[in-house]
Amino acid sequence: MFAEGLPQPRGEVVLQVTGDLALTNGDHSASFDLEMLKDLGVTSFKTSTVWTEGTPEFSGVSLKALVDKLGITAPVMNMYAVNDYVVDIPLTEAVADGPILAFAIDGVPMSVRDKGPLWLIYPYDAKQEYQTETTFSRSIWQLVRIELEN
């Protein structure tokens, strides 16, 4: 039985979230295409990174918006890349003006070849606390799946 309210993706699925969710469109899961993510509200910021030149503008959905929409309460989110590389992100990272699941750099959608479809990116220049090895190690690119840890 599926919870009501989350539509089925119409386009290519770019993110699947599994675990204890308040809102689903599958069996204990929520699948999102790019338009569904955009419907959560697009946010952008400019920041320098150790992987890019200058201060590109990243656009995406805030991690907080995703967490709030799905009613995520699990203390840890296991985030997986295309190649099954995984990082553990504490729920406490999902804050206002915090990291986003970026899908575009300088207005250009990111392909898998260019760190897409999604890249968990922090506004590194906004807060000194984001300029740490821990935060850099959490900045997973080619993100396609989030599994919740209870």
Side-chain angles (χ1 to χ4, degrees):
M1 181 174 188
F2 303 155
E4 293 182 32
L6 193 61
Q8 292 295 320
R10 292 184 181 171
E12 180 182 348
V13 171
V14 294
L15 179 66
Q16 183 171 39
V17 184
T18 61
D20 187 15
L21 303 169
L23 200 59
T24 65
N25 59 9
D27 188 24
H28 299 289
S29 68
S31 297
F32 290 87
D33 63 20
L34 189 55
E35 291 307 311
M36 291 171 67
L37 285 176
K38 288 179 179 179
D39 287 346
L40 298 179
V42 176
T43 188
S44 300
F45 54 73
K46 289 185 177 190
T47 191
S48 58
T49 79
V50 296
W51 307 280
T52 57
E53 293 183 22
T55 53
E57 181 176 51
F58 294 90
S59 300
V61 61
S62 78
L63 182 58
K64 182 175 180 4
L66 181 71
V67 163
D68 290 350
K69 178 72 172 181
L70 297 178
I72 294 172
T73 58
V76 176
M77 297 173 281
N78 302 313
M79 297 198 177
Y80 290 82
V82 169
N83 64 358
D84 285 330
Y85 175 79
V86 63
V87 296
D88 299 333
I89 307 295
L91 183 62
T92 55
E93 293 289 286
V95 296
D97 299 321
I100 66 172
L101 302 174
F103 47 73
I105 300 175
D106 290 330
V108 178
M110 291 185 292
S111 67
V112 170
R113 173 172 265 171
D114 297 318
K115 299 186 173 45
L118 301 172
W119 182 0
L120 182 69
I121 198 87
Y122 289 75
Y124 307 106
D125 297 341
K127 295 182 182 178
Q128 183 137 6
E129 67 191 65
Y130 289 149
Q131 298 172 15
T132 67
E133 287 302 315
T134 299
T135 301
F136 295 148
S137 71
R138 291 177 176 160
S139 302
I140 186 170
W141 53 75
Q142 296 179 326
L143 175 66
V144 293
R145 189 171 83 246
I146 299 173
E147 293 179 2
L148 305 179
E149 212 177 274
N150 290 321

